[in-house]
């Protein structure tokens, strides 16, 4: 159960089956990202792929018959038409066609008719129709999947294709459970089931041995847990995404002053960067100490390299130079990132803001928290974005509290010149009327009352880190693996596959409305405990992209659940 490995095996298969010799790769926008997240360009050069072209953008007409062409594209109508044009007038000597998902037989026939020169050597489906982010995490890169609180049709069909591809790549024919009461989750579950039934021969995998339960596909709705994407994160990968934004494993630092030219855009891939792979789940304080140790080790090695006094020393230096150079780049890259994270944390007063966020999420202390929020809103050091998120968390937690003062807090935000329309939109999107179960569960709060402080010594400027909150997903998965009855909250589409009430050994979770790196951390912890879980979503959100999705989802709807707030933001009624 490793989505990066499955993508890599498919790419290896393409490069091997096309045989030795110089190759070009013809991709579309999405498969370009799929390839680049799995392999660095240097890795592809080792596999004799020397040229990359996009089938859906401007290309030269130069004939290069000496090159083989590996075509790796999604089987969309547009791509089929573009490929047909290519085959009618081929630029390359031979073509090896690989589609990232199931392609209709009629399209195969059409392409065969267009291949009058008989230059196609291979046609195959490889189920790599998703972005493999971490070994246990995938994304479909759909930043906004709904409008008026229901599926955008293109996002629904893309989600069906993406999940089907993941299941085929992992060779799973699962029981399908979906979040009861969610029209979106039910629609996705139904269409995935119909596709599995239609392509039953592709899903003819061996049943689990020893009477074990079949694998589970669990389809969840982001609206059950709107809290997790709003919180500041303190583990390395999640913190970088929240403050700097990770897009397709890349971080753009071009707007940061004092960053060396070679570090304006950085690749963050656990597969291509050993340090990042080992430390992506470490907290801010730990990562600071680890980088300090790495830097000290580098300085020691650099000092050793200066002692080149003999032929043997020179030979040793040459042999170790690539690793030495790589280590130098790793140290500088992560110092650049940590320097900016540290600067933003101080500048935005995030230790204080985050502590209050965690307490709102995990403790029911209304009057005390209300006073602290008012104090932080009045503090000019706190950015308006951070203030809005604090009030959003308060509004979600105390929506039905007798003394809830969300309207008063919105008035304070307006006085500071901030935008308040996010909060009513968020309540319409994921208020108590929309959520299943109790998000602010009293049992979970009792367990989490003690604040976990990670005290890191030896690194100046790194203070206590607050990590109190546990995402709802972790609790849900623990229920799954403990064999608790899931039927009322998570009904099945294909209940005939559930002969016994044994817990599944393998679970694929798909989060409609996007998942987060905090939830990926929870899955990582479960996998370390011996479970097997893969997490995916329409998108991987930080707080900004999540709020953008909320606003898009609630655009042009009639607001029914936020009347008391609207007097301070009248235009929201028809937002």
């Amino acid at each position: 159960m490793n989505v990066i490995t499955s993508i890599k095996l498919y790419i290896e298969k393409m490069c091997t089956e096309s045989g030795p010799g110089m190759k070009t790769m013809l991709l579309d926008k999405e498969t370009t990202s799929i390839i680049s997240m799995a392999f660095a360009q240097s890795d592809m050069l080792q596999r004799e792929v020397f040229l990359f072209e996009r089938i859906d953008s401007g290309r030269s007409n130069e004939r290069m018959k000496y090159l083989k062409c590996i075509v790796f594209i999604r089987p969309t109508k547009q791509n089929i038409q573009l490929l047909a044009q290519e085959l009618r007038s081929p630029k390359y000597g031979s073509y090896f066609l690989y589609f990232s998902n199931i392609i209709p037989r009629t399209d195969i026939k059409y392409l065969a008719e267009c291949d009058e020169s008989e230059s196609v050597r291979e046609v195959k489906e490889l189920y790599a129709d998703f972005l493999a982010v971490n070994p246990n995490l995938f994304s479909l890169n759909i930043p906004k999947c709904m409008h008026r609180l229901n599926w955008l049709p293109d996002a629904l069909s893309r989600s069906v294709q993406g999940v089907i591809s993941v299941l085929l790549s992992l060779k799973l024919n699962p029981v399908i459970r979906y979040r009861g009461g969610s029209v979106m989750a039910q629609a996705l579950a139904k269409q995935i089931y119909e596709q599995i039934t239609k392509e039953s021969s592709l899903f003819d995998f061996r049943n689990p041995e020893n009477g074990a339960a079949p694998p589970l596909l669990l389809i969840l709705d982001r609206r059950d847990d709107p809290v997790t994407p709003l919180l500041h994160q303190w583990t390395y990968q999640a913190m970088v995404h929240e403050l700097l934004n990770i897009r397709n494993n890349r971080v753009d630092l071009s707007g940061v002053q004092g960053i060396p030219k070679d570090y304006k855009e950085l690749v963050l891939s656990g597969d291509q960067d050993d340090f990042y792979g080992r430390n992506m789940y470490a907290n801010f304080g730990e990562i600071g100490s680890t980088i300090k140790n790495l830097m000290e080790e580098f300085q020691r090695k650099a000092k050793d390299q200066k002692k080149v006094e003999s032929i043997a020393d020179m030979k040793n230096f040459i042999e170790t130079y690539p690793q030495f150079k790589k280590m130098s780049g790793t140290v500088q890259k992560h110092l650049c990132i940590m320097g900016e994270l540290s600067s933003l944390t101080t500048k935005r007063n995030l230790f204080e803001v985050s502590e209050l966020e965690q307490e709102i999420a995990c403790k029911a202390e209304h009057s005390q928290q209300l006073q602290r929020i008012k104090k932080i809103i009045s503090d000019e050091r706190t950015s308006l974005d951070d203030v809005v998120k604090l009030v959003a968390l308060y509004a979600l937690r105390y929506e039905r509290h007798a003394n809830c003062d969300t309207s008063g807090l919105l008035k304070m935000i307006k006085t500071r010149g901030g935008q308040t329309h996010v909060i009513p939109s968020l309540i319409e999107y994921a208020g108590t009327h929309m959520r299943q179960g109790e998000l602010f569960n009293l049992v979970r709060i009792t367990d989490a009352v003690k604040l976990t402080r990670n005290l890191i010594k030896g690194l100046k400027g790194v203070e206590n880190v607050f990590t109190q909150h546990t995402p709802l997903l972790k609790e849900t998965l623990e229920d799954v693996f403990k064999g608790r009855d899931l039927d009322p909250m998570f009904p099945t589409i294909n209940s005939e596959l559930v002969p016994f009430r044994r817990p599944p050994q393998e679970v694929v979770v798909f989060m409609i409305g996007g998942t987060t790196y905090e939830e990926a951390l929870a899955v990582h912890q479960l996998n370390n405990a011996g479970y097997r879980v893969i997490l995916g979503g329409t998108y991987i959100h930080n707080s900004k992209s999540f709020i953008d999705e909320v606003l898009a989802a609630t655009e042009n709807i009639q607001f029914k659940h936020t009347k008391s707030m609207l007097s301070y933001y009248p235009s929201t009624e028809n937002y």
Side-chain angles (χ1 to χ4, degrees):
M1 292 269 285
N2 183 322
V3 288
I4 290 180
T5 299
S6 65
I7 292 282
K8 282 181 167 253
L9 288 172
Y10 283 137
I11 297 170
E12 291 281 9
K13 188 179 179 71
M14 287 188 271
C15 296
T16 303
E17 288 184 347
S18 53
M22 294 174 65
K23 308 174 188 77
T24 186
M25 217 165 205
L26 191 56
L27 306 164
D28 62 32
K29 183 180 178 181
E30 290 186 68
T31 56
T32 299
S33 297
I34 291 166
I35 292 277
S36 67
M37 288 179 70
F39 279 128
Q41 193 163 356
S42 57
D43 295 324
M44 297 306 291
L45 286 171
Q46 289 175 10
R47 289 157 180 80
E48 299 184 290
V49 179
F50 295 96
L51 185 64
F52 295 86
E53 285 195 315
R54 284 269 298 274
I55 198 169
D56 51 354
S57 61
R59 300 165 57 207
S60 74
N61 293 318
E62 182 187 353
R63 294 280 188 269
M64 291 179 275
K65 296 293 184 181
Y66 55 91
L67 284 178
K68 299 174 180 180
C69 181
I70 300 171
V71 179
F72 177 49
I73 55 176
R74 299 193 65 243
T76 64
K77 288 182 180 178
Q78 181 192 16
N79 282 346
I80 298 299
Q81 288 302 320
L82 291 169
L83 181 55
Q85 291 172 27
E86 176 76 21
L87 295 178
R88 287 192 191 104
S89 179
K91 274 176 62 174
Y92 302 105
S94 56
Y95 289 80
F96 298 79
L97 309 186
Y98 297 95
F99 297 96
S100 68
N101 215 319
I102 300 166
I103 179 170
R105 297 293 159 245
T106 50
D107 287 346
I108 296 286
K109 187 182 176 197
Y110 171 61
L111 291 171
E113 290 166 355
C114 296
D115 181 28
E116 294 175 359
S117 64
E118 297 187 354
S119 54
V120 174
R121 301 285 180 269
E122 191 81 69
V123 182
K124 280 189 179 174
E125 295 172 348
L126 299 181
Y127 307 109
D129 207 9
F130 54 91
L131 297 178
V133 183
N134 295 347
N136 59 5
L137 178 66
F138 71 92
S139 168
L140 301 184
N141 214 14
I142 308 169
K144 295 167 187 172
C145 70
M146 63 178 90
H147 178 60
R148 297 175 70 88
L149 298 176
N150 214 329
W151 276 111
L152 287 166
D154 286 351
L156 174 57
S157 60
R158 179 69 187 93
S159 295
V160 173
Q161 293 156 4
V163 173
I164 286 289
S165 170
V166 169
L167 295 175
L168 286 170
S169 72
L170 298 173
K171 296 183 167 53
L172 301 176
N173 183 8
V175 171
I176 302 171
R177 289 189 180 273
Y178 63 93
R179 191 277 222 182
S182 167
V183 174
M184 292 181 71
Q186 185 175 15
L188 179 59
K190 186 180 177 186
Q191 290 201 22
I192 289 170
Y193 174 63
E194 288 170 354
Q195 185 75 356
I196 289 174
T197 305
K198 181 183 173 185
E199 304 289 349
S200 57
S201 61
L202 291 176
F203 284 88
D204 189 19
F205 305 122
R206 282 187 306 171
N207 291 326
E209 297 174 359
N210 303 322
L216 172 66
L217 170 63
L218 185 61
I219 299 173
L220 303 179
D221 192 318
R222 177 77 273 161
R223 289 172 287 184
D224 276 339
D225 179 6
V227 167
T228 298
L230 290 171
L231 297 172
H232 280 289
Q233 301 303 323
W234 294 98
T235 53
Y236 194 34
Q237 184 180 43
M239 194 176 183
V240 172
H241 190 44
E242 176 60 30
L243 297 180
L244 301 176
N245 192 26
I246 302 172
R247 183 164 178 78
N248 293 346
N249 283 354
R250 283 166 170 75
V251 177
D252 182 2
L253 295 181
S254 58
V256 178
Q257 286 188 333
I259 292 288
K261 188 171 71 173
D262 293 345
Y263 293 87
K264 296 290 186 184
E265 184 181 77
L266 299 174
V267 175
L268 280 185
S269 163
D271 208 50
Q272 298 171 30
D273 179 339
D274 291 341
F275 179 87
Y276 181 65
R278 288 194 306 270
N279 292 284
M280 65 172 71
Y281 299 120
N283 71 49
F284 184 49
E286 290 168 343
I287 203 83
S289 289
T290 308
I291 288 177
K292 184 187 176 198
N293 294 337
L294 183 68
M295 195 167 179
E296 287 171 351
E297 183 190 349
F298 172 70
Q299 287 170 336
R300 268 197 315 275
K301 288 190 175 180
K303 195 174 179 182
D304 291 342
Q305 300 296 350
K306 289 174 185 173
K307 298 175 183 175
V308 180
E309 298 169 349
S310 66
I311 298 294
D313 290 341
M314 290 180 195
K315 187 179 178 186
N316 185 53
F317 176 80
I318 296 298
E319 285 174 353
T320 59
Y321 182 75
Q323 289 79 13
F324 181 73
K325 189 175 179 183
K326 185 179 179 183
M327 188 178 181
S328 168
T330 299
V331 169
Q332 187 155 4
K333 175 168 87 172
H334 292 287
L335 274 177
C336 285
I337 293 170
M338 279 297 290
E340 186 58 15
L341 293 180
S342 185
S343 171
L344 289 169
T345 298
T346 304
K347 181 180 174 184
R348 287 169 52 177
N349 191 27
L350 291 185
F351 285 114
E352 185 178 352
V353 170
S354 179
E355 182 180 6
L356 182 51
E357 285 179 353
Q358 295 281 329
E359 297 227 359
I360 294 170
C362 299
K363 288 185 187 177
E365 295 177 351
H366 176 264
S367 58
Q368 181 188 345
Q369 289 168 5
L370 179 60
Q371 294 311 310
R372 287 178 67 189
I373 292 170
K374 287 178 178 179
K375 182 183 171 188
I376 284 183
I377 293 176
S378 303
D379 187 340
E380 292 293 331
R381 292 180 304 162
T382 313
S383 75
L384 285 168
D385 286 343
D386 292 330
V387 163
V388 166
K389 283 185 284 182
L390 269 176
V391 176
L393 289 165
Y394 170 88
L396 287 166
R397 166 140 222 143
Y398 297 112
E399 182 184 352
R400 294 188 175 177
H401 193 280
N403 297 319
C404 179
D405 191 24
T406 301
S407 295
L409 295 175
L410 292 179
K411 200 170 186 180
M412 289 183 71
I413 293 174
K414 283 197 79 176
T415 302
R416 269 195 67 181
Q419 297 290 313
T420 56
H421 60 294
V422 169
I423 286 92
S425 295
L426 184 63
I427 296 298
E428 294 295 334
Y429 175 88
T432 51
H433 66 284
M434 192 63 76
R435 300 195 301 267
Q436 175 178 254
E438 178 48 57
L439 175 60
F440 302 101
N441 187 305
L442 289 176
V443 175
R444 193 152 55 100
I445 293 163
T446 304
D447 291 342
V449 159
K450 292 179 183 175
L451 201 58
T452 304
R453 294 169 183 256
N454 295 299
L455 296 171
I456 303 301
K457 309 238 179 238
L459 188 69
K460 191 177 176 183
V462 176
E463 302 171 38
N464 297 347
V465 176
F466 306 104
T467 52
Q468 189 176 354
H469 174 259
T470 301
L472 183 63
L473 172 65
K474 190 168 187 179
E475 195 175 281
T476 303
L477 285 170
E478 285 170 350
D479 287 346
V480 168
F481 288 119
K482 286 172 183 173
R484 289 179 181 151
D485 185 12
L486 301 172
D487 282 337
M489 291 181 72
F490 303 104
T492 57
I493 283 279
N494 48 351
S495 54
E496 72 280 359
L497 289 178
V498 196
F500 309 107
R501 291 239 172 252
R502 290 178 183 163
Q505 302 298 304
E506 299 170 309
V507 179
V508 175
V509 179
F510 186 77
M511 186 80 75
I512 299 166
T515 188
T516 66
Y517 284 121
E518 185 184 351
E519 286 156 333
L521 168 63
V523 164
H524 169 74
Q525 290 166 339
L526 284 167
N527 288 340
N528 278 352
Y531 300 109
R532 284 183 283 174
V533 187
I534 296 289
L535 171 64
T538 46
Y539 200 68
I540 299 175
H541 280 307
N542 57 18
S543 60
K544 183 182 183 304
S545 63
F546 174 61
I547 287 169
D548 288 344
E549 173 136 28
V550 168
L551 295 177
T554 54
E555 191 174 9
N556 297 327
I557 68 165
Q558 189 67 38
F559 280 54
K560 300 174 184 175
H561 302 275
T562 51
K563 295 293 183 186
S564 63
M565 300 180 200
L566 298 179
S567 58
Y568 295 108
Y569 204 86
S571 63
T572 313
E573 290 205 38
N574 299 307
Y575 186 79

